[in-house]
């Protein structure tokens, strides 16, 4: 598994990433006497020039007409740290930027391992661009790295940055967002622990063509006023097929919001453009628990894809770890979508270290008209929780042509999530699966049993009369269905026995209705009856 679907980059940010992916670089360490700046593919806005998002946009539009120049890694130790040595580098707390003021503070990530190409950061104060220069004095080099680098040398850039803010307590600055690797970033709501990631853009993900990873090469951070509760920053985006200017407005809180504007300029045709992509991990839960010999009941950063249509109808698609690459397309009149961690109890995970119960949900709300398209969900088989195997993004109907310009804006919300569209509409609270047929008898081949629990909304008051399941199936056949109220918790359980031919891809939907109206959100699922 490569990092084409994103790495678990930094579970313990103060000490750098933990070993969440398998792509440690194998370069040898060599002492560096000088730390030269590599040639940049994109020269940033001039030092001291006036900054505006429109100026950055104009630069990236012009850049789209120039040949692509891939970024260069610094030579020697600075760019060639492998995983284990990169973990020995820490940003010094006393070198934190904006330390002399309340509110937002900034720290940087060192180059190395997967993140060797330097990124440059710029402080925009009074509308003027000033580079934030970083050097070896900004970092602690521990273990075998101690003394290997000059103590006061300038660095050619950094790998990325993180912003701190008093998120959980007024007297403590906690990490709120981090940008590290290509165009990946992650954020936290109050009380959360890092989980899924977002990206600035995804190109040809899971398409059969080589995936392309645009990268943020420069950031322009508009210095916030002391005690500010939002910060604005912009980034230059570039890859072989596209350039772009991206603007971020970050507002931390119980649910941390990031408003994103992406202005994109295509150098060449791209068949699959993923707008507002989210990347996560799903290993197992009650549907596929039998395949994993693990003490934990479930392991995932997200357990479902939520889609809310513009008419308010909410869809819930439980995530899966399929036997083969799977994709699903949802051509709905889109109101918003997101990858959510709906199960919030510690008992459901029993993992005191990873704390999957604290992983945030992320919801994308389009701002403005995105045109025709569909939400695309990609699920990749994996045996390890170190692999991010889930991607969700909006894919416009039309391919992007060379010379075309596009603009998209969206609001990202990071937090507990899982809110209902309507308090009178029940939600799916569990999905289980197993062999089809009657318990205690020999299992029937080519059948699968799905057990869906609905709770909340008007179901407890509805009683048993008049509640009916509305079920559809494509690619298979429902051989039996039973709807039963459970004795505790106001839960209604729908059990479906589904049969399909070998190799068939089966698409299922179900919701509860009664009294002439919809009583629950719509459950969707894809079952592949593997050959």
């Amino acid at each position: 598994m490569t990092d084409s679907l994103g790495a678990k980059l930094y579970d313990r940010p103060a000490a750098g990433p933990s070993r969440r992916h398998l792509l440690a670089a194998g370069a040898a360490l060599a002492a560096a006497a000088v730390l030269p700046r590599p040639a940049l593919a994109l020269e940033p806005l001039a030092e001291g020039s006036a900054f505006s998002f429109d100026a950055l946009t104009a630069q990236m539009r012009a850049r789209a007409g120039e040949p692509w120049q891939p970024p260069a890694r610094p030579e020697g130790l600075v760019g060639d740290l492998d995983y284990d040595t990169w973990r020995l580098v820490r940003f010094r707390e006393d070198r934190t930027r904006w330390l002399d003021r309340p509110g937002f503070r900034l720290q940087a990530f060192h180059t190395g391992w997967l993140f060797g190409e330097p990124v440059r950061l710029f402080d925009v104060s009074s509308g003027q661009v000033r580079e934030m220069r970083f050097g070896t004095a900004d970092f602690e080099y521990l273990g075998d790295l101690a003394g290997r680098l000059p103590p006061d040398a300038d660095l050619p850039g950094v790998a990325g940055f993180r912003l701190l803010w008093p998120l959980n307590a007024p007297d403590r600055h906690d990490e709120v967002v981090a940008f590290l690797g290509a165009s990946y970033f992650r954020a936290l709501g109050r009380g959360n622990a890092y989980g899924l990631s977002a990206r600035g853009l995804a190109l040809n993900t899971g398409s059969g063509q080589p995936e392309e990873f645009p990268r943020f090469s420069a950031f322009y951070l508009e210095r916030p006023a002391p005690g500010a509760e939002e910060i604005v920053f912009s980034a230059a985006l570039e890859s072989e097929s596209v350039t772009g200017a991206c603007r971020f407005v970050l507002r931390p809180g119980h649910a941390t919001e990031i408003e994103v504007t992406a202005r994109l300029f295509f150098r060449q045709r791209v068949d699959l453009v993923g707008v507002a992509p989210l990347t996560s991990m799903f290993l197992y839960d009650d549907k596929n628990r039998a395949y994993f010999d693990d003490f934990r009941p479930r392991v995932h950063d997200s357990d479902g894809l939520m889609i809310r249509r513009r008419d308010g109808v909410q869809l819930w698609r439980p995530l899966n770890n399929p036997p083969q690459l799977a994709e699903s397309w949802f051509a709905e009149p889109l109101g918003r979508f997101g990858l959510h961690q709906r199960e919030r109890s510690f008992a459901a995970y029993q993992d005191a270290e990873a704390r999957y119960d604290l992983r945030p949900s992320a919801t994308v709300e389009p701002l403005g008209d995105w045109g025709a398209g569909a939400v695309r969900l990609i699920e990749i088989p994996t045996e390890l929780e170190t692999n991010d195997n889930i991607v969700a993004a909006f894919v416009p109907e039309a391919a992007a042509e060379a010379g075309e310009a596009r603009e998209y804006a969206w609001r990202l919300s990071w937090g507990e999530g899982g809110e209902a569209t309507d308090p009178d509409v029940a939600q799916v609270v569990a999905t289980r699966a197993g062999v089809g047929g009657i318990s205690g008898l020999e299992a029937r081949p080519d059948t699968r049993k799905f057990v869906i629990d609905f709770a909340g909304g008007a179901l407890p008051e509805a009683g048993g009369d008049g509640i009916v399941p509305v079920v559809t199936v494509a690619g298979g056949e429902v051989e039996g269905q039973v709807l039963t109220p459970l004795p505790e918790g106001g839960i209604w359980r729908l059990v479906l026995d589904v049969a399909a031919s070998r190799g068939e891809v089966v698409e299922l939907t179900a919701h509860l209705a009664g009294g002439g109206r919809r009583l629950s959100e719509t459950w969707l699922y894809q079952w592949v009856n593997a050959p």
Side-chain angles (χ1 to χ4, degrees):
M1 171 82 177
T2 70
D3 78 331
S4 64
L5 295 178
K8 295 275 193 289
L9 301 179
Y10 28 88
D11 280 319
R12 299 183 184 276
S18 61
R19 188 182 291 275
R20 302 285 297 185
H21 259 28
L22 309 177
L23 296 179
L29 297 180
V34 292
L35 307 175
R37 277 184 191 272
L40 292 178
L42 171 70
E43 191 61 34
L45 295 176
E47 183 91 3
S49 63
F51 176 82
S52 71
F53 186 50
D54 287 340
L56 180 61
T57 300
Q59 183 197 38
M60 301 314 295
R61 185 193 299 271
R63 179 66 179 149
E66 301 172 3
W68 160 242
Q69 298 178 30
R73 294 176 73 108
E75 296 180 357
L77 189 60
V78 173
D80 289 340
L81 301 177
D82 63 16
Y83 172 83
D84 292 313
T85 51
W86 188 71
R87 289 269 296 162
L88 297 175
V89 183
R90 302 181 183 182
F91 195 84
R92 295 174 58 95
E93 294 287 338
D94 61 346
R95 306 289 288 194
T96 300
R97 302 310 192 253
W98 309 327
L99 193 59
D100 59 343
R101 59 182 59 205
F104 289 97
R105 295 174 181 175
L106 181 144
Q107 297 178 348
F109 294 102
H110 201 282
T111 52
W113 188 42
L114 301 179
F115 318 113
E117 294 82 14
V119 174
R120 291 169 70 178
L121 307 184
F122 295 84
D123 186 336
V124 178
S125 180
S126 301
Q128 302 296 306
V129 174
R130 293 283 185 273
E131 184 164 7
M132 292 184 181
R133 297 195 179 275
F134 294 89
T136 53
D138 290 305
F139 295 89
E140 289 183 87
Y141 299 89
L142 307 176
D144 292 341
L145 284 179
R148 300 285 299 279
L149 284 165
D152 295 309
D154 287 337
L155 292 173
V158 293
F161 70 95
R162 57 180 176 234
L163 292 172
L164 293 79
W165 193 80
L167 180 65
N168 298 300
D171 59 347
R172 185 181 75 241
H173 279 71
D174 299 309
E175 187 168 339
V176 174
V177 69
F179 285 74
L180 179 63
S183 68
Y184 286 91
F185 60 99
R186 296 202 281 182
L188 297 168
R190 188 166 296 131
N192 290 154
Y194 271 135
L196 79 168
S197 302
R199 279 194 266 178
L201 190 66
L203 301 179
N204 290 328
T205 305
S207 65
Q209 303 178 49
E211 185 170 5
E212 194 171 307
F213 296 91
R215 67 183 293 265
F216 292 132
S217 57
F219 287 90
Y220 301 85
L221 296 109
E222 300 180 29
R223 185 185 296 191
E229 296 187 354
E230 76 170 33
I231 184 172
V232 179
F233 51 97
S234 302
L237 178 76
E238 188 168 19
S239 71
E240 184 175 359
S241 298
V242 68
T243 68
C246 297
R247 183 175 186 266
F248 303 87
V249 182
L250 169 68
R251 302 183 187 95
H254 178 74
T256 290
E257 290 187 349
I258 306 177
E259 290 187 7
V260 185
T261 301
R263 296 173 177 173
L264 308 173
F265 308 100
F266 290 89
R267 286 187 167 113
Q268 56 192 33
R269 177 186 169 93
V270 177
D271 291 330
L272 282 176
V273 177
V275 178
L278 301 173
T279 301
S280 193
M281 179 275 293
F282 179 89
L283 191 65
Y284 66 85
D285 68 0
D286 295 330
K287 300 184 301 300
N288 61 333
R289 174 74 179 80
Y291 299 108
F292 294 89
D293 186 13
D294 195 302
F295 77 93
R296 298 167 296 178
R298 57 177 65 211
V299 172
H300 48 72
D301 284 338
S302 305
D303 55 7
L305 168 67
M306 183 281 296
I307 297 176
R308 187 174 301 173
R309 301 190 329 201
R310 284 197 292 269
D311 62 4
V313 172
Q314 185 159 296
L315 315 178
W316 179 252
R317 166 61 154 80
L319 298 178
N320 196 14
N321 184 357
Q324 60 195 44
L325 178 70
E327 61 177 338
S328 299
W329 295 77
F330 306 93
E332 305 289 340
L334 183 61
R336 63 187 65 182
F337 74 93
L339 291 176
H340 284 193
Q341 187 78 313
R342 185 169 280 186
E343 177 55 70
R344 287 286 162 192
S345 68
F346 173 79
Y349 301 92
Q350 294 294 334
D351 194 324
E353 180 180 2
R355 294 307 303 270
Y356 288 111
D357 54 305
L358 301 180
R359 304 294 167 110
S361 299
T363 302
V364 174
E365 179 185 357
L367 302 176
D369 184 7
W370 282 7
V375 175
R376 181 181 183 226
L377 174 67
I378 303 172
E379 298 166 303
I380 295 177
T382 182
E383 296 180 355
L384 299 172
E385 65 195 277
T386 51
N387 294 338
D388 273 343
N389 63 323
I390 303 294
V391 175
F394 177 83
V395 178
E397 188 175 275
E401 300 294 342
E404 185 178 354
R406 294 186 179 184
E407 180 171 330
Y408 298 96
W410 63 95
R411 181 182 295 111
L412 263 171
S413 179
W414 304 76
E416 291 188 2
E419 74 280 3
T421 307
D422 184 330
D424 293 330
V425 174
Q427 289 188 294
V428 176
V429 295
T431 300
R432 300 175 177 87
V435 295
I438 300 173
S439 299
L441 300 181
E442 186 174 348
R444 295 185 57 189
D446 300 322
T447 64
R448 193 78 175 155
K449 187 185 297 291
F450 298 95
V451 179
I452 309 106
D453 288 349
F454 298 88
L459 283 182
E461 292 77 26
D465 296 334
I467 300 181
V468 294
V470 180
V471 179
T472 69
V473 59
E477 181 179 349
V478 176
E479 294 193 335
Q481 65 180 45
V482 177
L483 179 66
T484 307
L486 299 187
E488 296 180 358
I491 296 173
W492 285 73
R493 173 167 292 175
L494 175 62
V495 180
L496 303 175
D497 277 288
V498 182
S501 301
R502 289 290 175 94
E504 195 68 48
V505 178
V506 182
E507 298 285 355
L508 296 157
T509 77
H511 71 270
L512 304 184
R517 68 186 183 94
R518 181 185 295 266
L519 296 176
S520 76
E521 64 183 357
T522 298
W523 171 88
L524 306 98
Y525 198 71
Q526 183 185 87
W527 169 44
V528 179
N529 189 18

